[in-house]
Amino acid sequence: MSDATDATPTDAPVLITGATGFVGARLVPVLARAGLPLRCASRDPERARAAHPAHPWVRLDVADLASCRAAVAGCRAAVYLVHAMGGVGGDYTHREARGAATFAEAAREAGLERIVYLGGVVPRSGPVSRHLESRMLTGQILRSGATPCVELRAGMIIGAGSASFRIVRDLSVRLPVMVRPRWLETRSQPIAIDDVVTAIAFALDAPDLGTGSLDLPGPETLSGSEIIDRVAALRGTRPLSVDVPLLSPRLSGYWINAVTRADRHVASELIEGMLSDLVADDDGLWQLLPEHRRTTFDEAVRRALADEERGVSLPARLVEGLVHLVSRPVGR
């Protein structure tokens, strides 16, 4: 399984890739408070160290085998949170696949005990978007390596900084009249970021997991329209609706880009992932954590909305305030 000749010390660190990202930035302090020795990875460690001096940082570029080898050397496990879609441009599917293969090779050489990878829910039927296909391929590559890999599959993650939740939030609070494309009727199981962090922390050290995949469904199954309506209701409004049966992901991307803070290319990719239901077959990892009570959808949204407010510009706040005044209040 490994080129390493000695057993990995029990106090060896856990490598957190993508430690400055949406999930990584929330995972690191939780693991640190739990007493786990960590090594945080970033493509720009100096910048990350300046922002978060309490954590040990190392440079990691998954396109560079030497960089991966240096980052994983001496570690006992790793959390793989690398995602190339945000960079857009070029074929990110191939970039992600090559990066996963390079990291898997470095993990084998270092004798890592486990990789925990956060991927996406696999559609039961219907088309698979390029975004989800890339997530699935990355998981297949990591799981086919010599290092045991636990792939956790989540749908929309509710939390401030999540690209998909940011789109939902902005649509809910900035439109007194909501255009409803057909893809908003597909269903998913949104999960709170706190629950995702709990799942990753559990998967790092849970015995007898081996190599495989586990879903991370949220506690409710909701359509896209229901998600938007619930978020709007928590803000005290109920937008008028106009059904538009034919509105492609590409055209929707332009519309969303005009209304929200989302990049048009990223928005289009995420929308393509909503053309099929993203519903798990069972409770996945939560069956192994029966004592854990998942955060309710409404509570997760309340927390995310409170945190997101700090990232909204003053002009946008004024627009949202005006929309709130002219929107129908809940109950009318």
mmCIF file with all atom_site columns, all heavy atoms in Angstrom, residues 20 59 117 120-121 131 153 176 260 263 291 299 308:
data_model
loop_
_atom_site.group_PDB
_atom_site.id
_atom_site.type_symbol
_atom_site.label_atom_id
_atom_site.label_alt_id
_atom_site.label_comp_id
_atom_site.label_asym_id
_atom_site.label_entity_id
_atom_site.label_seq_id
_atom_site.pdbx_PDB_ins_code
_atom_site.Cartn_x
_atom_site.Cartn_y
_atom_site.Cartn_z
_atom_site.occupancy
_atom_site.B_iso_or_equiv
_atom_site.pdbx_formal_charge
_atom_site.auth_seq_id
_atom_site.auth_comp_id
_atom_site.auth_asym_id
_atom_site.auth_atom_id
_atom_site.pdbx_PDB_model_num
ATOM 1   N N   . THR A 1 20  ? -8.293  27.473 3.161   1.00 0.00 ? 20  THR A N   1
ATOM 2   C CA  . THR A 1 20  ? -8.822  28.836 3.204   1.00 0.00 ? 20  THR A CA  1
ATOM 3   C C   . THR A 1 20  ? -10.189 28.945 2.530   1.00 0.00 ? 20  THR A C   1
ATOM 4   O O   . THR A 1 20  ? -10.778 30.022 2.487   1.00 0.00 ? 20  THR A O   1
ATOM 5   C CB  . THR A 1 20  ? -7.862  29.823 2.512   1.00 0.00 ? 20  THR A CB  1
ATOM 6   O OG1 . THR A 1 20  ? -7.680  29.421 1.142   1.00 0.00 ? 20  THR A OG1 1
ATOM 7   C CG2 . THR A 1 20  ? -6.513  29.858 3.214   1.00 0.00 ? 20  THR A CG2 1
ATOM 8   N N   . ARG A 1 59  ? 2.725   25.188 1.383   1.00 0.00 ? 59  ARG A N   1
ATOM 9   C CA  . ARG A 1 59  ? 2.288   25.403 0.011   1.00 0.00 ? 59  ARG A CA  1
ATOM 10  C C   . ARG A 1 59  ? 1.836   24.081 -0.588  1.00 0.00 ? 59  ARG A C   1
ATOM 11  O O   . ARG A 1 59  ? 2.469   23.047 -0.397  1.00 0.00 ? 59  ARG A O   1
ATOM 12  C CB  . ARG A 1 59  ? 3.417   25.994 -0.831  1.00 0.00 ? 59  ARG A CB  1
ATOM 13  C CG  . ARG A 1 59  ? 3.018   26.241 -2.284  1.00 0.00 ? 59  ARG A CG  1
ATOM 14  C CD  . ARG A 1 59  ? 4.165   26.825 -3.097  1.00 0.00 ? 59  ARG A CD  1
ATOM 15  N NE  . ARG A 1 59  ? 3.778   26.987 -4.497  1.00 0.00 ? 59  ARG A NE  1
ATOM 16  C CZ  . ARG A 1 59  ? 3.839   26.019 -5.407  1.00 0.00 ? 59  ARG A CZ  1
ATOM 17  N NH1 . ARG A 1 59  ? 4.297   24.817 -5.074  1.00 0.00 ? 59  ARG A NH1 1
ATOM 18  N NH2 . ARG A 1 59  ? 3.472   26.248 -6.660  1.00 0.00 ? 59  ARG A NH2 1
ATOM 19  N N   . TYR A 1 117 ? -12.578 12.876 1.269   1.00 0.00 ? 117 TYR A N   1
ATOM 20  C CA  . TYR A 1 117 ? -12.860 13.752 0.127   1.00 0.00 ? 117 TYR A CA  1
ATOM 21  C C   . TYR A 1 117 ? -14.317 14.203 0.166   1.00 0.00 ? 117 TYR A C   1
ATOM 22  O O   . TYR A 1 117 ? -15.226 13.381 0.350   1.00 0.00 ? 117 TYR A O   1
ATOM 23  C CB  . TYR A 1 117 ? -12.574 13.016 -1.180  1.00 0.00 ? 117 TYR A CB  1
ATOM 24  C CG  . TYR A 1 117 ? -13.174 13.653 -2.407  1.00 0.00 ? 117 TYR A CG  1
ATOM 25  C CD1 . TYR A 1 117 ? -12.791 14.935 -2.809  1.00 0.00 ? 117 TYR A CD1 1
ATOM 26  C CD2 . TYR A 1 117 ? -14.127 12.983 -3.175  1.00 0.00 ? 117 TYR A CD2 1
ATOM 27  C CE1 . TYR A 1 117 ? -13.350 15.531 -3.926  1.00 0.00 ? 117 TYR A CE1 1
ATOM 28  C CE2 . TYR A 1 117 ? -14.679 13.563 -4.306  1.00 0.00 ? 117 TYR A CE2 1
ATOM 29  C CZ  . TYR A 1 117 ? -14.287 14.841 -4.676  1.00 0.00 ? 117 TYR A CZ  1
ATOM 30  O OH  . TYR A 1 117 ? -14.838 15.436 -5.783  1.00 0.00 ? 117 TYR A OH  1
ATOM 31  N N   . GLY A 1 120 ? -19.839 15.449 -4.475  1.00 0.00 ? 120 GLY A N   1
ATOM 32  C CA  . GLY A 1 120 ? -21.217 15.846 -4.695  1.00 0.00 ? 120 GLY A CA  1
ATOM 33  C C   . GLY A 1 120 ? -22.136 14.651 -4.821  1.00 0.00 ? 120 GLY A C   1
ATOM 34  O O   . GLY A 1 120 ? -21.697 13.542 -5.149  1.00 0.00 ? 120 GLY A O   1
ATOM 35  N N   . VAL A 1 121 ? -23.423 14.872 -4.577  1.00 0.00 ? 121 VAL A N   1
ATOM 36  C CA  . VAL A 1 121 ? -24.424 13.817 -4.682  1.00 0.00 ? 121 VAL A CA  1
ATOM 37  C C   . VAL A 1 121 ? -24.521 13.338 -6.130  1.00 0.00 ? 121 VAL A C   1
ATOM 38  O O   . VAL A 1 121 ? -24.499 14.145 -7.066  1.00 0.00 ? 121 VAL A O   1
ATOM 39  C CB  . VAL A 1 121 ? -25.798 14.329 -4.203  1.00 0.00 ? 121 VAL A CB  1
ATOM 40  C CG1 . VAL A 1 121 ? -26.870 13.253 -4.397  1.00 0.00 ? 121 VAL A CG1 1
ATOM 41  C CG2 . VAL A 1 121 ? -25.724 14.740 -2.740  1.00 0.00 ? 121 VAL A CG2 1
ATOM 42  N N   . HIS A 1 131 ? -20.116 19.828 -13.841 1.00 0.00 ? 131 HIS A N   1
ATOM 43  C CA  . HIS A 1 131 ? -19.664 20.067 -12.474 1.00 0.00 ? 131 HIS A CA  1
ATOM 44  C C   . HIS A 1 131 ? -19.747 18.790 -11.640 1.00 0.00 ? 131 HIS A C   1
ATOM 45  O O   . HIS A 1 131 ? -18.769 18.382 -10.998 1.00 0.00 ? 131 HIS A O   1
ATOM 46  C CB  . HIS A 1 131 ? -20.529 21.178 -11.859 1.00 0.00 ? 131 HIS A CB  1
ATOM 47  C CG  . HIS A 1 131 ? -20.440 21.281 -10.375 1.00 0.00 ? 131 HIS A CG  1
ATOM 48  N ND1 . HIS A 1 131 ? -19.260 21.481 -9.712  1.00 0.00 ? 131 HIS A ND1 1
ATOM 49  C CD2 . HIS A 1 131 ? -21.407 21.217 -9.412  1.00 0.00 ? 131 HIS A CD2 1
ATOM 50  C CE1 . HIS A 1 131 ? -19.488 21.540 -8.403  1.00 0.00 ? 131 HIS A CE1 1
ATOM 51  N NE2 . HIS A 1 131 ? -20.775 21.369 -8.204  1.00 0.00 ? 131 HIS A NE2 1
ATOM 52  N N   . ARG A 1 153 ? -20.565 12.703 0.066   1.00 0.00 ? 153 ARG A N   1
ATOM 53  C CA  . ARG A 1 153 ? -21.275 13.342 -1.043  1.00 0.00 ? 153 ARG A CA  1
ATOM 54  C C   . ARG A 1 153 ? -22.386 14.244 -0.520  1.00 0.00 ? 153 ARG A C   1
ATOM 55  O O   . ARG A 1 153 ? -23.375 13.771 0.051   1.00 0.00 ? 153 ARG A O   1
ATOM 56  C CB  . ARG A 1 153 ? -21.857 12.266 -1.968  1.00 0.00 ? 153 ARG A CB  1
ATOM 57  C CG  . ARG A 1 153 ? -20.773 11.456 -2.680  1.00 0.00 ? 153 ARG A CG  1
ATOM 58  C CD  . ARG A 1 153 ? -21.343 10.277 -3.447  1.00 0.00 ? 153 ARG A CD  1
ATOM 59  N NE  . ARG A 1 153 ? -20.319 9.650  -4.299  1.00 0.00 ? 153 ARG A NE  1
ATOM 60  C CZ  . ARG A 1 153 ? -20.510 8.529  -4.969  1.00 0.00 ? 153 ARG A CZ  1
ATOM 61  N NH1 . ARG A 1 153 ? -21.687 7.893  -4.885  1.00 0.00 ? 153 ARG A NH1 1
ATOM 62  N NH2 . ARG A 1 153 ? -19.549 8.025  -5.713  1.00 0.00 ? 153 ARG A NH2 1
ATOM 63  N N   . PRO A 1 176 ? -38.732 41.119 -6.072  1.00 0.00 ? 176 PRO A N   1
ATOM 64  C CA  . PRO A 1 176 ? -40.134 41.094 -5.625  1.00 0.00 ? 176 PRO A CA  1
ATOM 65  C C   . PRO A 1 176 ? -40.989 40.188 -6.493  1.00 0.00 ? 176 PRO A C   1
ATOM 66  O O   . PRO A 1 176 ? -42.028 39.704 -6.069  1.00 0.00 ? 176 PRO A O   1
ATOM 67  C CB  . PRO A 1 176 ? -40.570 42.556 -5.758  1.00 0.00 ? 176 PRO A CB  1
ATOM 68  C CG  . PRO A 1 176 ? -39.661 43.139 -6.793  1.00 0.00 ? 176 PRO A CG  1
ATOM 69  C CD  . PRO A 1 176 ? -38.347 42.422 -6.645  1.00 0.00 ? 176 PRO A CD  1
ATOM 70  N N   . THR A 1 260 ? -27.576 38.501 -8.699  1.00 0.00 ? 260 THR A N   1
ATOM 71  C CA  . THR A 1 260 ? -26.835 38.023 -7.535  1.00 0.00 ? 260 THR A CA  1
ATOM 72  C C   . THR A 1 260 ? -25.353 38.360 -7.651  1.00 0.00 ? 260 THR A C   1
ATOM 73  O O   . THR A 1 260 ? -24.891 38.920 -8.642  1.00 0.00 ? 260 THR A O   1
ATOM 74  C CB  . THR A 1 260 ? -26.983 36.496 -7.389  1.00 0.00 ? 260 THR A CB  1
ATOM 75  O OG1 . THR A 1 260 ? -26.161 35.836 -8.359  1.00 0.00 ? 260 THR A OG1 1
ATOM 76  C CG2 . THR A 1 260 ? -28.435 36.067 -7.596  1.00 0.00 ? 260 THR A CG2 1
ATOM 77  N N   . ASP A 1 263 ? -20.740 34.562 -10.075 1.00 0.00 ? 263 ASP A N   1
ATOM 78  C CA  . ASP A 1 263 ? -20.135 34.601 -11.398 1.00 0.00 ? 263 ASP A CA  1
ATOM 79  C C   . ASP A 1 263 ? -21.051 33.855 -12.368 1.00 0.00 ? 263 ASP A C   1
ATOM 80  O O   . ASP A 1 263 ? -21.584 32.792 -12.047 1.00 0.00 ? 263 ASP A O   1
ATOM 81  C CB  . ASP A 1 263 ? -18.756 33.935 -11.336 1.00 0.00 ? 263 ASP A CB  1
ATOM 82  C CG  . ASP A 1 263 ? -18.101 33.839 -12.696 1.00 0.00 ? 263 ASP A CG  1
ATOM 83  O OD1 . ASP A 1 263 ? -18.340 32.827 -13.390 1.00 0.00 ? 263 ASP A OD1 1
ATOM 84  O OD2 . ASP A 1 263 ? -17.365 34.769 -13.064 1.00 0.00 ? 263 ASP A OD2 1
ATOM 85  N N   . GLU A 1 291 ? -26.516 9.488  17.024  1.00 0.00 ? 291 GLU A N   1
ATOM 86  C CA  . GLU A 1 291 ? -26.714 10.469 18.096  1.00 0.00 ? 291 GLU A CA  1
ATOM 87  C C   . GLU A 1 291 ? -26.644 11.907 17.601  1.00 0.00 ? 291 GLU A C   1
ATOM 88  O O   . GLU A 1 291 ? -27.028 12.836 18.321  1.00 0.00 ? 291 GLU A O   1
ATOM 89  C CB  . GLU A 1 291 ? -25.667 10.260 19.204  1.00 0.00 ? 291 GLU A CB  1
ATOM 90  C CG  . GLU A 1 291 ? -24.239 10.649 18.831  1.00 0.00 ? 291 GLU A CG  1
ATOM 91  C CD  . GLU A 1 291 ? -23.500 9.612  17.992  1.00 0.00 ? 291 GLU A CD  1
ATOM 92  O OE1 . GLU A 1 291 ? -24.128 8.600  17.620  1.00 0.00 ? 291 GLU A OE1 1
ATOM 93  O OE2 . GLU A 1 291 ? -22.311 9.820  17.706  1.00 0.00 ? 291 GLU A OE2 1
ATOM 94  N N   . GLU A 1 299 ? -33.030 26.636 10.609  1.00 0.00 ? 299 GLU A N   1
ATOM 95  C CA  . GLU A 1 299 ? -31.974 27.105 11.511  1.00 0.00 ? 299 GLU A CA  1
ATOM 96  C C   . GLU A 1 299 ? -30.672 27.332 10.749  1.00 0.00 ? 299 GLU A C   1
ATOM 97  O O   . GLU A 1 299 ? -29.962 28.320 10.980  1.00 0.00 ? 299 GLU A O   1
ATOM 98  C CB  . GLU A 1 299 ? -31.756 26.107 12.642  1.00 0.00 ? 299 GLU A CB  1
ATOM 99  C CG  . GLU A 1 299 ? -30.655 26.498 13.616  1.00 0.00 ? 299 GLU A CG  1
ATOM 100 C CD  . GLU A 1 299 ? -30.860 27.859 14.265  1.00 0.00 ? 299 GLU A CD  1
ATOM 101 O OE1 . GLU A 1 299 ? -32.025 28.285 14.443  1.00 0.00 ? 299 GLU A OE1 1
ATOM 102 O OE2 . GLU A 1 299 ? -29.846 28.513 14.595  1.00 0.00 ? 299 GLU A OE2 1
ATOM 103 N N   . GLU A 1 308 ? -24.024 36.146 6.201   1.00 0.00 ? 308 GLU A N   1
ATOM 104 C CA  . GLU A 1 308 ? -23.924 36.739 4.870   1.00 0.00 ? 308 GLU A CA  1
ATOM 105 C C   . GLU A 1 308 ? -24.108 38.253 4.891   1.00 0.00 ? 308 GLU A C   1
ATOM 106 O O   . GLU A 1 308 ? -23.576 38.958 4.034   1.00 0.00 ? 308 GLU A O   1
ATOM 107 C CB  . GLU A 1 308 ? -24.963 36.123 3.927   1.00 0.00 ? 308 GLU A CB  1
ATOM 108 C CG  . GLU A 1 308 ? -24.550 34.806 3.293   1.00 0.00 ? 308 GLU A CG  1
ATOM 109 C CD  . GLU A 1 308 ? -23.577 35.001 2.142   1.00 0.00 ? 308 GLU A CD  1
ATOM 110 O OE1 . GLU A 1 308 ? -23.296 36.158 1.774   1.00 0.00 ? 308 GLU A OE1 1
ATOM 111 O OE2 . GLU A 1 308 ? -23.097 33.984 1.617   1.00 0.00 ? 308 GLU A OE2 1
#
